[in-house]
Amino acid sequence: MDLNHLQTLPESIGRLNKLETLSVYGNYLTDLPYSIQNLTSLKKINVGRNRMLRIRGELALCSALEELDFMNNELITLPLELAQLKNVKVLNVENNMIKSIPEDIFKGWFSLHTFKVDGNHLPPKVLQQMAGYIEFEARRRSNFDALISSKTDDAEMEHKAINLVEDLKSV
């Protein structure tokens, strides 16, 4: 449903309880329907480049959510209820108008490793002083280190494979 000039989503969307991905990128949405809370299988939601004024707290009832993308909207805060989403790995709220977020929001995000918040009115120092931020930063660094290690392992394997092929050619 990306790039369709949508201004609203119907309440009936809540009946799609097996839906795992909802992408309504690049429309004119200002809110999501209340029935969004019924999408309990939803793992990924992309509402980027809309005109969203808020994220409904009811979204926290979508307990399977792993990725939320609300970049380039008009958000000014995040609802504390989002901290209930224990499986969230990625949250992108870049380029909004966020000035503050609830103090305890990082406490519940045990799986979060990517939090994109650039382009808002939120000083990094404020985030760094929040409860749970240090643990989040440790997870983020650990995932980054694992990614670098994985790439190094891939390069090493490629080098070994090339050497093996060259050795086999010489036999």
Side-chain angles (χ1 to χ4, degrees):
M1 295 190 291
D2 294 342
L3 304 168
N4 274 300
H5 304 285
L6 299 174
Q7 294 181 0
T8 60
L9 291 177
E11 282 292 333
S12 61
I13 199 162
R15 286 191 243 146
L16 303 173
N17 57 355
K18 302 257 190 258
L19 186 69
E20 292 187 6
T21 300
L22 174 62
S23 186
V24 289
Y25 176 89
N27 286 290
Y28 300 106
L29 301 174
T30 57
D31 201 0
L32 295 172
Y34 179 76
S35 66
I36 198 84
Q37 67 184 337
N38 298 327
L39 302 180
T40 54
S41 297
L42 194 64
K43 291 183 179 179
K44 183 176 181 178
I45 185 167
N46 183 349
V47 191
R49 292 201 185 274
N50 276 278
R51 296 178 180 166
M52 298 293 293
L53 301 171
R54 66 180 177 143
I55 298 176
R56 283 188 172 273
E58 291 85 6
L59 198 58
L61 296 173
C62 301
S63 57
L65 268 173
E66 296 177 359
E67 293 183 38
L68 293 89
D69 189 338
F70 282 84
M71 64 175 252
N72 295 313
N73 277 285
E74 299 173 17
L75 304 173
I76 56 170
T77 191
L78 300 176
L80 180 56
E81 292 90 344
L82 288 185
Q84 298 169 25
L85 293 170
K86 305 296 183 207
N87 298 316
V88 169
K89 296 175 183 170
V90 177
L91 176 60
N92 184 355
V93 291
E94 288 180 314
N95 302 316
N96 278 280
M97 295 184 274
I98 297 173
K99 295 178 184 173
S100 67
I101 59 175
E103 180 66 32
D104 293 334
I105 201 148
F106 284 106
K107 281 187 176 178
W109 289 337
F110 303 116
S111 300
L112 184 73
H113 58 73
T114 303
F115 182 51
K116 297 181 178 183
V117 70
D118 291 339
N120 284 286
H121 307 289
L122 194 61
K125 209 172 207 176
V126 170
L127 290 174
Q128 294 164 356
Q129 295 171 352
M130 295 176 74
Y133 181 84
I134 292 171
E135 293 83 359
F136 156 70
E137 185 62 20
R139 279 191 308 276
R140 187 189 68 76
R141 287 176 189 248
S142 173
N143 284 336
F144 183 71
D145 291 346
L147 179 64
I148 289 174
S149 174
S150 163
K151 287 184 179 186
T152 302
D153 292 346
D154 290 348
E156 249 178 70
M157 292 294 271
E158 184 178 340
H159 181 70
K160 287 179 182 179
I162 290 169
N163 287 342
L164 180 59
V165 169
E166 289 174 5
D167 289 347
L168 289 173
K169 285 181 183 176
S170 65
V171 173

